[in-house]
């Protein structure tokens, strides 16, 4: 029985984490998306248990106290977090569990579970990153500057990650992440029984 | 500038190391084959510097004394070894240097250079391994039994390797090794300058 693993895809806002993760889930049915928990209200069309687990602030805070989260953050008056139990159940079932989180969250997870596979999604350049954020046309100049400032800080943390993937061409980026997933599945340390498997088949 | 790495493909006799390595070199021109040194005489068609570096016993022994080999072995009255200098020059030039060696040699290399990437090539089963060795029709029953005995011992060392690949279908095995190579190229630790590269491009 193969062990699964937790795959963390992270990177500054505007590098295209969401697009990359959606394309990856679409292509590789063996990858399972980890549903985060949040205290914010569902938006139009969002489904409880699919997009997020929508829970109350009281429950969230109790879970924080009981150390039930792999990582959590407080963003714009709402909590967001990844329940350790749900992720680790998928991993124990042999699944690759995909977690799309910000840089701070990713480093929290890596510290708790060093065996987690972390990928830092990089923009092709800082110029291109700014262009993408500006093109979204959803932020004020002040917000854009703040995001760029954060991006500089976050990229300096790339050394704490296992892998990097530059998101220039989406197909190439997806292909690179698929190679990482395939290689990690072939790690001897994730398949402690591989030796017995081969030897026993010969014993028949 | 990307750092290269040394890729060691190893496994018991009969798992198809040679076939796999030749197919890999054929497909991926970025992979460079590491030429071993030997004291045995060239066979018909073998070219010095291509198949092997053919050197005298005296030179080989001097190189052993001077610790010039990554690994070496004495097999059937001849020495075989991998010169550390030639391999490490390729790695410094950013190349993936492929080394096809036996299990003992692979573990010697891994001990000296833990950053080396090691792949253990496994047979689909011990039965199939025996069938392949018998089908080659080049060995006596005693030699076959000896090879199988060695294979059992060697497979018990798979836990010391980074990756395993089962050589059942050759195309699948090659594809898996290519994924491992691609993933290892994307390791942050092999690209210490990736951060500067992205940040500097933005500074223009």
């Amino acid at each position: 029985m193969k062990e699964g693993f937790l795959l963390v895809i992270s990177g500054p806002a505007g590098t295209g984490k969401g697009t990359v993760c959606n394309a990856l889930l679409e292509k590789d049915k063996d990858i399972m998306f980890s549903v985060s928990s949040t205290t914010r209200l569902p938006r139009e069309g969002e489904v409880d248990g699919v997009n997020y687990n929508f829970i109350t602030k009281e429950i969230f805070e109790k879970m924080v106290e009981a150390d039930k989260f792999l990582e959590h953050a407080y963003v714009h008056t709402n909590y967001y977090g990844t329940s350790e139990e749900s992720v680790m159940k998928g991993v124990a079932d042999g699944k690759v569990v995909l977690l799309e989180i910000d840089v701070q969250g990713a480093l929290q997870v890596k510290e708790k579970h060093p065996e987690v596979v972390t990928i830092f999604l990089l923009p092709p350049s800082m110029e291109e990153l700014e262009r993408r954020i500006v093109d979204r046309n959803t932020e004020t100049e002040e917000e854009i500057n703040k995001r760029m400032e954060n991006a500089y800080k976050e990229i300096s943390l790339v050394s704490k990650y296992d892998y990097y993937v530059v998101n220039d061409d989406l197909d190439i980026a997806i292909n690179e992440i698929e190679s990482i997933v395939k290689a990690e599945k072939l790690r001897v340390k994730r398949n402690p029984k591989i030796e017995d498997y081969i030897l026993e088949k010969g014993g028949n």
Side-chain angles (χ1 to χ4, degrees), chain A residues 184-199:
Chain A
E184 287 289 339
K185 283 182 181 173
L186 295 167
R187 282 206 166 263
V188 169
K189 69 173 180 189
R190 297 196 204 286
N191 298 273
K193 297 280 169 62
I194 184 67
E195 175 196 337
D196 299 343
Y197 177 72
I198 299 294
L199 294 179

Side-chain angles (χ1 to χ4, degrees), chain A residues 172-183:
Chain A
I172 294 175
I174 297 294
N175 177 277
E176 289 185 342
I177 295 172
E178 286 185 304
S179 291
I180 292 168
V181 169
K182 198 179 270 189

Side-chain angles (χ1 to χ4, degrees), chain A residues 64-129:
Chain A
V64 171
E65 267 171 50
D67 200 24
K68 295 285 191 195
F69 289 112
L70 260 182
E71 56 84 35
H72 70 278
Y74 189 74
V75 185
H76 297 302
T77 75
N78 289 303
Y79 283 115
Y80 295 83
T82 305
S83 144
E84 183 151 16
E85 194 185 338
S86 67
V87 166
M88 290 309 160
K89 196 189 162 304
V91 170
D93 287 348
K95 298 257 172 34
V96 177
V97 181
L98 175 63
L99 199 56
E100 177 205 333
I101 44 174
D102 67 9
V103 173
Q104 296 306 327
L107 297 180
Q108 281 181 43
V109 174
K110 186 74 181 173
E111 202 157 309
K112 270 198 180 177
H113 295 277
E115 77 283 6
V116 155
V117 177
T118 53
I119 300 178
F120 197 105
L121 202 64
L122 287 165
S125 69
M126 297 309 276
E127 247 173 358
E128 171 62 18
L129 181 67

